[in-house]
Amino acid sequence: MTSRDTSVLLDIRDLSVRFNTDSGVVHAVNHLNLSLHRGKALGFVGETGAGKTTTALAILRLIQSPPGQITSGEILFEGHDIMKMTEAEKRHIRGNRIAMIFQDPMTSLNPIMTVEDQITEMISLHSNLMGNEVSKRAREMLALVGIRPERAKDYPHQFSGGMRQRVGIAIALACEPALLIADEPTTALDVTIQAQVLELIKDLQSVVKTSLLLITHDLGIVAEICQDVAIMYAGRLVEYSDIRSLYGHPMHPYTQGLFNAVPNLDSPLGGKLAVIPGLPPDPTDLPKGCSFSPRCPYAQAVCHEKACGMREVAPNHFVDCYFPLGVEGGQRS
Amino acid sequence: MIIIFTILYFTPGDPAQVALGQEATPETIAAFHAKHGLDMPFPAQLGRYLYKAVFEGDLGYSYVMKSPVSMELATRVPVTIRLAFWAVVISTLIGIPLGVICAIRQYSLLDSLTTLVTLLGVSMPTFWTGILLIIAFSVHLGWLPSMGFDTVGEMVLPIVTLSGSSVAVIARTTRASMLEVIGSDYIRTARAKGQRESVVILRHALPNAMIPILTIISMQFGMLLGGSIVTEAIFSISGVGRLMLEAINMRDYPIIQGGTLFISVAFCLINLAVDILYAFIDPRIHVK
Amino acid sequence: MPANNSMLKYTLIRLRRNYLAVLGFVVLFVLIGSAIFAERISPFGYADQDYMMIRQPPSAQHLLGTDQFGRDVLSRLIYGSRISLQVGLIAVSISLIVGGAIGAIGGYFGGRTDSVLMRIMDVQLAIPTILLAIVISSALGPGLVNLMVAVGITSIPRFARLMRASVLSIKGMEFIEAARAMGASHMRIILLYILPNCAAPLIVQSTLSVANAILFAATLSFLGLGIQPPFPEWGGMLSDARPYIRDSAYLSIFPGLAIMITIVALNCIGDGLRDALDPKQKR
């Protein structure tokens, strides 16, 4: 994970983000280490509130400064630390080298601008194209996401949720960014539309040749699109590997809980749904030691005392656990 | 929307008529009643009056002033319009930028100060503001005259007085609306595109925030028209407001009716204009 | 209903955090106190004329000076508070009851009744409020009661709309259906179920309307409609003071100050209440 080869596009080191609110300090992200390789798709999985969106916003430095604060860490993009960049440099990156697709298509588009204008704005900001060429490119993008060019002058409210999300994708990919961050792009959509949009993202990823950071809580989606997957819990990374390895034998108790919680068509009728007992911890009052220990069925004394930290337990398979499942010295699953 | 306005267009004279109709009867000018059809049934009176007003431009004749109502109005309307126009312009030009700045720099010193000042501004009765300004600038400092409306110097105090509470309301509304808009997702999207903050505020946030602001501005017209009555009284400006006041004191019904009709119609038209403006700004609204 | 009790406590806690609102309440209490105990507090009667002391600037004996008839300004202001509060309360009561009834009936029964009622409200809204107040007031003639009625009428549409909006939103909620299924009559449903839930915005609007009513009353008195001498209404005192702007400026300042402080206080309370009662608090 700490490799320094040039295939690493994004390297997040020891990132911590907190929010100072009236009800206490929210530790949203804690000492996160994550890297993404060029040309690959990384699935970033966790429950709501685990800190995934915050991480994404931190990458783009879009975290509102009161009340949010990045208290530590470096974010290396193409070798340069984003944390140390000037405002102008950051603006150059946003949209141009790193682009983001947001979660809720109903509210993430400006209601009083035509969809074409919203794309052209992106293009004009980062390229030297002029006038007609800009509109032409905008329409190309619309066509790419499956929206007829006649609708270019329509407004967001005239589109359905799925179509609006496609517009969002068009905007994000307009300048052919090196990294695309998709924050739960299909969560707000109907299941049937979800499949379409995912297909689109997958296709475009290879056409435009961007790397993808896909944030989601849905393990199924990750399996479809990504090569690597990282599991996040309470602001920390708890497991990271490639798909085959992680889906084949999940090692962190939380990850196992996630897989168990997915209903299985083959399980006997009348059985109960498996849940992970307990609730996620209060982000203003995180437990000492491993954040998952209060709920972990295999927790031992040391787990409550001190967090383990990510360690490579199998080739390219990292777990933040003293007793990873299925490993000698750990618990049998 | 247009239907509503058509209906409104025809009924504003109503309350005036109702309110004054009862009073008219005890008057001893019964002869005039017969002559001018004031003893006709009420709906017929209303219809006749409106007909003459709309199609003939005849709003009746004032017995007190001994001249047609329309003429009296005609001489005074331009004055009031100038007063109201400038008041609106100034309150918008000061109010909106102030509101925007306060929204951007929330909780700063400027923001707190402005909140305080606007609170006062909203609570001060127009006539008192006028009087205070006169005391300060006319009596003690002798800088500005306190009467009339012809020279620029004369215009300053009345306009400031009238715009007083408007500026406060507009600034407050702008601030609140901007704050709400700035928190929206699409503003975050705009920033994620790498857009400069100033452009985000001015071209993304402000236009979206304008909608409620426009509503308030059109409501302000109503307040201004009312406030002009008071302002004109204090500064001895011969505008429609003062005319109404004198008419009321002297029970000059034709002028009261004509004036009310005129003011109400003007108000409706302004509201209509603002509604049309909405349609231009917000593509979600369809004008049928 | 236990829910109401805890909501009240919760609201009070949130309200107490708002300094301006607390200040507003303090001022309001002072005002109410001076209105109730006017006779005992004020050094002079409001109509006591002292020809030896015409238009004296503030002094030890007359803390705020005297007016053109030798009447003590402070005393008149104190008695004036009683009048202003009376007008405010009664006018708003009229608006609240009549407007609330219209809004509730329209919202609850819907259909044609609703359309008609709302049209009437729209018509009234087409006329600038001050103008309406002036016209009604002049039609009814001078006097305290007429003043209250005139001001009261002007605020009716605002309450009607507010009530209607609240009623409509509550009407859609399921516990109303449950009540109907139980066989409750319309009247019962409105009074017991709907009204208590509309309380919050109505309270806020009432507070702000009282401020507005006092402002209108002062304006009307200033213009010569409404209260007649020798009653000490603050607006009337201002208009009396006009001829003496040059020499006795203080006569114009104090009554206006009283008006302003009262309205500021009421606005602070209203804003504070609105923030405290809003479930979507943003702080």
Side-chain angles (χ1 to χ4, degrees):
Chain A
M1 284 248 296
T2 52
S3 67
R4 304 187 61 80
D5 64 88
T6 52
S7 72
V8 174
L9 183 64
L10 178 71
D11 196 0
I12 303 178
R13 299 185 186 170
D14 196 39
L15 179 68
S16 294
V17 182
R18 69 172 190 214
F19 290 88
N20 301 313
T21 68
D22 284 343
S23 15
V25 177
V26 175
H27 297 280
V29 179
N30 300 306
H31 305 291
L32 182 71
N33 287 288
L34 189 61
S35 26
L36 176 64
H37 294 263
R38 225 177 259 280
K40 287 197 155 191
L42 172 64
F44 200 19
V45 178
E47 300 166 60
T48 316
K52 319 184 294 290
T53 307
T54 310
T55 309
L57 291 176
I59 297 174
L60 279 174
R61 298 303 305 270
L62 281 178
I63 299 200
Q64 294 280 49
S65 208
Q69 216 184 340
I70 299 184
T71 55
S72 75
E74 303 173 307
I75 302 180
L76 297 170
F77 179 68
E78 294 182 321
H80 302 285
D81 187 359
I82 299 184
M83 305 289 296
K84 299 195 172 69
M85 288 188 182
T86 65
E87 193 59 36
E89 287 169 338
K90 281 186 257 184
R91 272 190 271 124
H92 173 71
I93 291 196
R94 287 180 199 140
N96 194 15
R97 308 296 300 145
I98 307 180
M100 187 152 166
I101 301 172
F102 291 93
Q103 185 170 341
D104 187 354
M106 306 304 270
T107 58
S108 49
L109 295 176
N110 190 334
I112 63 177
M113 276 171 83
T114 64
V115 301
E116 182 183 15
D117 286 341
Q118 305 206 35
I119 304 180
T120 53
E121 183 183 20
M122 179 70 123
I123 302 175
S124 316
L125 275 172
H126 299 294
S127 74
N128 292 324
L129 295 179
M130 302 290 247
N132 283 340
E133 301 202 355
V134 176
S135 326
K136 210 174 73 152
R137 174 118 181 98
R139 280 169 215 258
E140 279 170 17
M141 291 309 300
L142 282 176
L144 204 59
V145 298
I147 296 184
R148 298 196 317 271
E150 304 91 72
R151 302 208 65 187
K153 299 277 192 212
D154 284 346
Y155 291 90
H157 66 275
Q158 293 169 279
F159 291 90
S160 68
M163 312 249 336
R164 286 190 223 191
Q165 195 62 298
R166 289 170 190 250
V167 174
I169 297 174
I171 295 177
L173 292 175
C175 296
E176 298 184 347
L179 172 63
L180 177 65
I181 304 178
D183 186 0
E184 307 217 34
T186 54
T187 307
L189 303 173
D190 294 333
V191 176
T192 45
I193 309 291
Q194 276 187 23
Q196 289 177 16
V197 174
L198 281 175
E199 267 306 305
L200 186 61
I201 294 181
K202 194 164 149 197
D203 288 338
L204 289 181
Q205 196 209 344
S206 48
V207 165
V208 180
K209 298 201 195 355
T210 74
S211 315
L212 176 65
L213 176 64
L214 179 65
I215 300 177
T216 178
H217 57 261
D218 188 334
L219 289 164
I221 294 182
V222 172
E224 289 238 358
I225 300 193
C226 305
Q227 290 91 44
D228 298 319
V229 57
I231 312 278
M232 193 159 181
Y233 181 77
R236 308 181 78 96
L237 211 52
V238 297
E239 188 163 358
Y240 170 91
S241 184
D242 57 276
I243 295 214
R244 307 207 71 189
S245 205
L246 195 141
Y247 278 58
H249 24 265
M251 292 195 200
H252 194 281
Y254 175 63
T255 317
Q256 188 194 48
L258 283 181
F259 279 107
N260 286 345
V262 177
N264 196 338
L265 277 177
D266 301 325
S267 50
L269 285 175
K272 292 205 319 207
L273 286 176
V275 294
I276 307 177
L279 293 170
D282 178 356
T284 59
D285 188 20
L286 291 174
K288 188 164 79 143
C290 173
S291 316
F292 188 62
S293 51
R295 303 168 76 183
C296 181
Y298 312 107
Q300 302 195 2
V302 59
C303 300
H304 297 291
E305 279 305 303
K306 187 169 182 302
C308 173
M310 292 286 268
R311 19 183 224 133
E312 189 164 9
V313 171
N316 198 34
H317 195 146
F318 300 79
V319 189
D320 175 5
C321 186
Y322 290 112
F323 309 104
L325 305 167
V327 167
E328 283 180 22
Q331 306 284 338
R332 299 251 113 211
S333 51
Chain B
M1 185 79 42
I2 304 213
I3 302 177
I4 297 182
F5 275 101
T6 320
I7 296 181
L8 288 173
Y9 190 100
F10 276 107
T11 45
D14 232 323
Q17 195 104 24
V18 171
L20 305 168
Q22 323 274 58
E23 279 281 340
T25 331
E27 294 290 308
T28 53
I29 339 177
F32 284 132
H33 282 200
K35 186 172 166 197
H36 294 278
L38 283 169
D39 52 357
M40 275 162 38
F42 170 67
Q45 274 194 50
L46 183 57
R48 192 164 147 267
Y49 179 75
L50 286 173
Y51 176 78
K52 291 176 83 168
V54 173
F55 293 106
E56 294 176 21
D58 175 12
L59 290 165
Y61 186 84
S62 159
Y63 304 105
V64 175
M65 314 205 60
K66 310 263 187 293
S67 67
V69 171
S70 14
M71 195 166 92
E72 294 294 329
L73 277 180
T75 46
R76 290 178 172 68
V77 163
V79 176
T80 304
I81 289 186
R82 267 176 30 219
L83 178 60
F85 172 77
W86 282 111
V88 169
V89 164
I90 299 222
S91 26
T92 329
L93 282 181
I94 298 185
I96 294 186
L98 199 56
V100 171
I101 297 179
C102 286
I104 300 180
R105 303 198 186 293
Q106 210 186 356
Y107 303 130
S108 67
L109 185 61
L110 177 64
D111 185 28
S112 312
L113 263 178
T114 310
T115 312
L116 213 61
V117 170
T118 51
L119 181 61
L120 292 180
V122 164
S123 321
M124 292 202 334
T126 321
F127 51 92
W128 195 52
T129 322
I131 293 180
L132 279 183
L133 286 175
I134 291 183
I135 293 181
F137 290 100
S138 259
V139 176
H140 277 124
L141 295 174
W143 283 352
L144 297 164
S146 62
M147 288 217 238
F149 201 62
D150 301 306
T151 69
V152 174
E154 286 172 354
M155 281 168 63
V156 171
L157 285 184
I159 293 178
V160 172
T161 308
L162 196 52
S163 30
S165 64
S166 278
V167 172
V169 172
I170 293 181
R172 269 180 154 202
T173 316
T174 306
R175 176 182 180 275
S177 184
M178 283 295 286
L179 279 179
E180 206 175 307
V181 165
I182 288 181
S184 308
D185 282 349
Y186 55 85
I187 296 295
R188 192 175 58 173
T189 309
R191 290 190 183 127
K193 290 185 192 171
Q195 185 62 275
R196 283 196 302 271
E197 188 68 11
S198 56
V199 176
V200 170
I201 298 285
L202 289 176
R203 277 218 263 129
H204 286 265
L206 189 55
N208 275 289
M210 280 309 276
I211 297 165
I213 298 177
L214 275 184
T215 315
I216 297 292
I217 294 185
S218 75
M219 270 171 52
Q220 284 301 304
F221 268 108
M223 303 298 294
L224 282 180
L225 286 173
S228 74
I229 295 184
V230 164
T231 314
E232 289 173 12
I234 298 183
F235 290 97
S236 310
I237 299 174
S238 33
V240 174
R242 190 139 157 262
L243 179 66
M244 295 292 290
L245 207 53
E246 288 165 3
I248 289 177
N249 277 329
M250 306 221 252
R251 296 265 181 265
D252 188 350
Y253 296 123
I255 294 216
I256 299 181
Q257 273 171 227
T260 314
L261 183 62
F262 170 77
I263 292 182
S264 307
V265 167
F267 192 48
C268 283
L269 286 177
I270 292 175
N271 277 336
L272 189 60
V274 170
D275 276 340
I276 295 181
L277 210 61
Y278 274 162
F280 272 116
I281 291 190
D282 187 348
R284 290 172 284 191
I285 297 178
H286 294 289
V287 182
K288 281 175 225 166
Chain C
M1 289 189 254
N4 279 350
N5 274 340
S6 54
M7 198 183 94
L8 184 63
K9 221 171 27 162
Y10 187 49
T11 310
L12 282 178
I13 295 178
R14 300 232 295 238
L15 200 54
R16 227 172 331 137
R17 288 206 292 181
N18 185 341
Y19 304 120
L20 283 180
V22 171
L23 210 59
F25 268 112
V26 168
V27 172
L28 187 62
F29 282 138
V30 167
L31 231 46
I32 296 181
S34 78
I36 299 180
F37 299 111
E39 280 87 3
R40 276 185 247 171
I41 312 181
S42 54
F44 298 86
Y46 63 80
D48 294 349
Q49 299 179 355
D50 185 350
Y51 287 108
M52 306 291 274
M53 307 277 273
I54 291 190
R55 291 201 283 122
Q56 297 292 311
S59 63
Q61 195 190 10
H62 293 276
L63 284 170
L64 296 179
T66 62
D67 68 4
Q68 69 277 23
F69 291 122
R71 297 179 290 202
D72 178 46
V73 171
L74 179 60
S75 310
R76 286 177 62 87
L77 283 186
I78 294 179
Y79 276 98
S81 72
R82 177 185 288 176
I83 294 186
S84 295
L85 283 179
Q86 273 180 324
V87 174
L89 283 173
I90 299 191
V92 169
S93 305
I94 297 178
S95 315
L96 183 59
I97 297 178
V98 175
I102 294 181
I105 294 177
Y108 188 77
F109 290 107
R112 207 114 66 89
T113 323
D114 186 31
S115 299
V116 167
L117 285 175
M118 285 306 115
R119 280 284 192 269
I120 300 180
M121 293 291 102
D122 282 340
V123 166
Q124 192 183 336
L125 281 175
I127 307 179
T129 35
I130 300 190
L131 189 62
L132 186 62
I134 293 180
V135 169
I136 296 181
S137 180
S138 71
L140 294 175
L144 184 59
V145 175
N146 293 338
L147 180 63
M148 295 188 213
V149 170
V151 176
I153 295 185
T154 57
S155 281
I156 289 181
R158 220 173 309 183
F159 279 97
R161 287 200 152 179
L162 203 58
M163 182 63 125
R164 179 174 178 268
S166 293
V167 168
L168 282 178
S169 73
I170 308 250
K171 195 170 82 150
M173 293 191 193
E174 283 169 355
F175 68 90
I176 299 290
E177 280 192 40
R180 301 271 273 129
M182 278 200 302
S185 71
H186 288 309
M187 191 60 141
R188 192 184 167 80
I189 293 183
I190 293 184
L191 286 178
L192 283 182
Y193 292 101
I194 300 189
L195 285 187
N197 284 297
C198 302
L202 284 180
I203 295 179
V204 174
Q205 182 62 46
S206 303
T207 315
L208 297 174
S209 289
V210 171
N212 204 33
I214 297 184
L215 191 58
F216 273 23
T219 310
L220 288 175
S221 307
F222 179 79
L223 294 173
L225 310 155
I227 319 257
Q228 296 302 303
F231 290 115
E233 209 278 338
W234 294 337
M237 288 168 72
L238 271 176
S239 97
D240 288 342
R242 278 191 68 202
Y244 311 107
I245 285 187
R246 296 194 179 266
D247 307 315
S248 311
Y250 63 91
L251 281 178
S252 302
I253 298 183
F254 293 126
L257 210 56
I259 299 178
M260 187 179 97
I261 294 180
T262 311
I263 296 188
V264 167
L266 283 167
N267 275 332
C268 287
I269 297 177
D271 282 347
L273 277 174
R274 185 198 293 139
D275 288 342
L277 286 168
D278 181 3
K280 299 178 288 166
Q281 210 190 23
K282 279 178 205 160
R283 296 187 104 237

